[in-house]
């Protein structure tokens, strides 16, 4: 008697891997980088445009004369990446990036926002400013940057947060794609992700996190549950690419290197009315997919009123 030929199991594809990683971790880190030469060329052009030093900032007197906490991020018409539109194919058309995003969002996804993000090293932040922002959870420095340089987002670290924080009332049907334009070590403000934190759904910032081990935290999302989550530090080489769910907690510590960290950050959303990979992921979440309030750390002007920073303990 001859043995019946077994049907071959279908090959495990990148698309399968991405959806599976989003279900388990709320994130996918690409094995293959985007073209490092194209990333390095873009970086050189960005660096040629300005000095990423203390000349970026207003003086304390200039800031205090008219503090502006809102409208200080890149926006259409004031976004450094707009002048490099033609050069972004190495990210936006890289076949593995397109395949992964398509697996989660369908073929007709849309780029909601893209920008250059800079981790500013301590030596570039004026002393008066370091004193004033010490211990703040969100050190987006846009308020203190000269208006002509607000075409980039500048961070001096940001506490663990969800990217849903900027999308009150919107469903978590989008993802963040993050690209390093140069090698990022532990000293260069790498992203810290809390794997599996997305499973508890949306949660108001700042988050209830207790460190329980060298790389574990207990994350308490009140009535939506409690989970032990694992910290992953995204160090990587030029062209490193990673992406995460809108509910995945992540943050950065202040840049401890002697130079700035420059990355690209994309927010990419679903358009399709058809069921896509993100719907499969979101069906596994135990908490809310959208929030009517996303943060309670700011007063009406946008100034910080809560001073605590958990990622500094990581
Ligand atoms: O680049 C950084 O330092 C932080 C980026 C980040 O967490 C974000 O933009 O949501």
């Amino acid at each position: 008697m001859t043995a019946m030929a077994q049907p071959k199991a279908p090959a495990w594809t990148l698309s399968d891997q991405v959806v599976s990683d989003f279900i388990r971790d709320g994130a996918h880190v690409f094995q293959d980088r985007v073209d490092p030469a194209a990333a390095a060329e873009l970086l050189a052009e960005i660096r040629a445009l300005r000095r990423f030093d203390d000349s970026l900032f207003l003086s304390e007197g200039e800031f205090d004369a008219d503090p502006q906490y809102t409208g200080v991020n890149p926006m259409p018409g004031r976004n450094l990446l707009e002048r490099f539109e033609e050069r972004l194919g190495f990210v936006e058309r890289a076949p593995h990036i397109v395949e992964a995003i398509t697996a989660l969002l369908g073929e007709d996804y849309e780029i909601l926002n893209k920008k250059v993000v800079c981790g500013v090293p301590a030596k570039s932040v004026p002393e008066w400013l370091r004193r004033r922002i010490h211990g703040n959870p969100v050190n987006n420095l846009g308020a203190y940057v000269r208006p002509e340089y607000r075409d980039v987002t500048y961070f001096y670290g940001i506490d663990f947060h969800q990217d849903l924080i900027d999308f009150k009332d919107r469903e978590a049907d989008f993802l963040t794609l993050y690209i390093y334009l140069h090698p990022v070590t532990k000293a260069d403000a790498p992203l810290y992700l809390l794997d599996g934190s997305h499973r508890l759904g949306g949660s108001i910032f700042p988050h209830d996190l207790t460190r329980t081990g060298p790389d574990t935290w207990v994350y308490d999302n009140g009535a939506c549950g409690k989970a032990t989550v694992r910290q992953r530090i995204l160090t990587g080489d030029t062209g490193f690419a990673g992406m995460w769910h809108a509910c995945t907690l992540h943050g950065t510590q202040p840049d401890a290197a002697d130079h700035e960290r420059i990355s690209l950050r994309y927010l990419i959303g679903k358009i399709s009315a058809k069921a896509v990979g993100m719907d499969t992921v979101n069906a596994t979440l135990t908490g809310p997919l959208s929030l009517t309030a996303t943060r309670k750390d700011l007063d009406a002007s946008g100034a910080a009123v809560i001073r605590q920073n958990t990622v500094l303990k990581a």
Side-chain angles (χ1 to χ4, degrees):
M1 211 166 72
T2 51
M4 290 260 287
Q6 291 297 315
K8 254 194 168 164
W12 184 251
T13 63
L14 173 63
S15 301
D16 297 326
Q17 189 64 51
V18 166
V19 174
S20 153
D21 286 352
F22 260 62
I23 290 172
R24 189 189 59 212
D25 299 329
H28 173 78
V29 169
F30 289 88
Q31 251 176 20
D32 294 329
R33 294 181 283 156
V34 296
D35 180 2
E41 276 167 34
L42 177 60
L43 177 66
E45 294 210 24
I46 293 170
R47 285 205 164 125
L49 291 172
R50 73 190 52 161
R51 300 202 320 263
F52 287 87
D53 62 11
D54 59 359
S55 62
L56 293 171
F57 297 99
L58 298 166
S59 69
E60 187 165 24
E62 285 169 324
F63 174 73
D64 282 333
D66 185 20
Q68 296 290 325
Y69 292 102
T70 56
V72 292
N73 273 307
M75 54 175 72
R78 190 187 70 202
N79 184 334
L80 192 74
L81 264 197
E82 281 168 359
R83 71 174 82 185
F84 295 113
E85 196 53 58
E86 302 301 310
R87 311 192 55 140
L88 297 174
F90 77 101
V91 176
E92 296 172 15
R93 289 191 290 283
H96 61 307
I97 303 284
V98 172
E99 179 181 345
I101 299 171
T102 304
L104 286 164
L105 302 177
E107 280 175 4
D108 50 353
Y109 55 82
E110 63 173 333
I111 295 176
L112 302 170
N113 180 283
K114 54 179 150 179
K115 62 182 178 179
V116 175
V117 180
C118 171
V120 185
K123 70 163 195 198
S124 299
V125 183
E127 202 278 324
W128 70 267
L129 181 51
R130 257 184 287 140
R131 195 173 6 95
R132 282 173 74 148
I133 63 178
H134 181 74
N136 282 358
V138 178
N139 278 327
N140 178 328
L141 302 180
Y144 312 99
V145 164
R146 298 196 164 278
E148 64 271 28
Y149 296 138
R150 289 177 180 158
D151 52 1
V152 165
T153 291
Y154 303 88
F155 279 110
Y156 190 59
I158 177 166
D159 203 357
F160 287 117
H161 64 283
Q162 305 178 320
D163 285 335
L164 197 60
I165 192 169
D166 294 323
F167 291 88
K168 193 158 79 85
D169 295 323
R170 178 176 175 139
E171 201 169 296
D173 60 353
F174 59 95
L175 59 85
T176 303
L177 171 68
Y178 205 90
I179 310 286
Y180 290 154
L181 298 183
H182 56 79
V184 171
T185 68
K186 186 95 193 296
D188 299 285
L191 266 294
Y192 283 58
L193 290 193
L194 296 183
D195 281 343
S197 52
H198 69 301
R199 282 188 230 146
L200 303 187
S203 163
I204 296 180
F205 178 87
H207 304 285
D208 185 344
L209 288 161
T210 309
R211 191 157 183 190
T212 51
D215 57 4
T216 53
W217 297 77
V218 168
Y219 168 36
D220 191 344
N221 193 12
C224 301
K226 218 178 190 178
T228 294
V229 292
R230 190 163 290 278
Q231 165 182 308
R232 177 158 43 147
I233 304 178
L234 302 186
T235 53
D237 231 324
T238 305
F240 165 96
M243 55 187 197
W244 53 83
H245 188 276
C247 294
T248 302
L249 293 176
H250 61 284
T252 52
Q253 296 182 340
D255 188 316
D258 60 358
H259 52 268
E260 65 284 354
R261 191 221 60 224
I262 295 182
S263 329
L264 302 182
R265 177 192 191 259
Y266 285 82
L267 288 182
I268 306 175
K270 169 185 162 177
I271 303 178
S272 180
K274 289 190 240 153
V276 292
M278 191 64 88
D279 299 309
T280 312
V281 175
N282 283 347
T284 66
L285 270 51
T286 59
L289 272 183
S290 70
L291 296 169
T292 50
T294 59
R295 59 195 297 181
K296 56 176 186 204
D297 59 310
L298 303 178
D299 69 14
S301 76
V305 287
I306 292 185
R307 292 206 169 214
Q308 70 172 60
N309 193 314
T310 314
V311 76
L312 295 179
K313 300 182 198 152

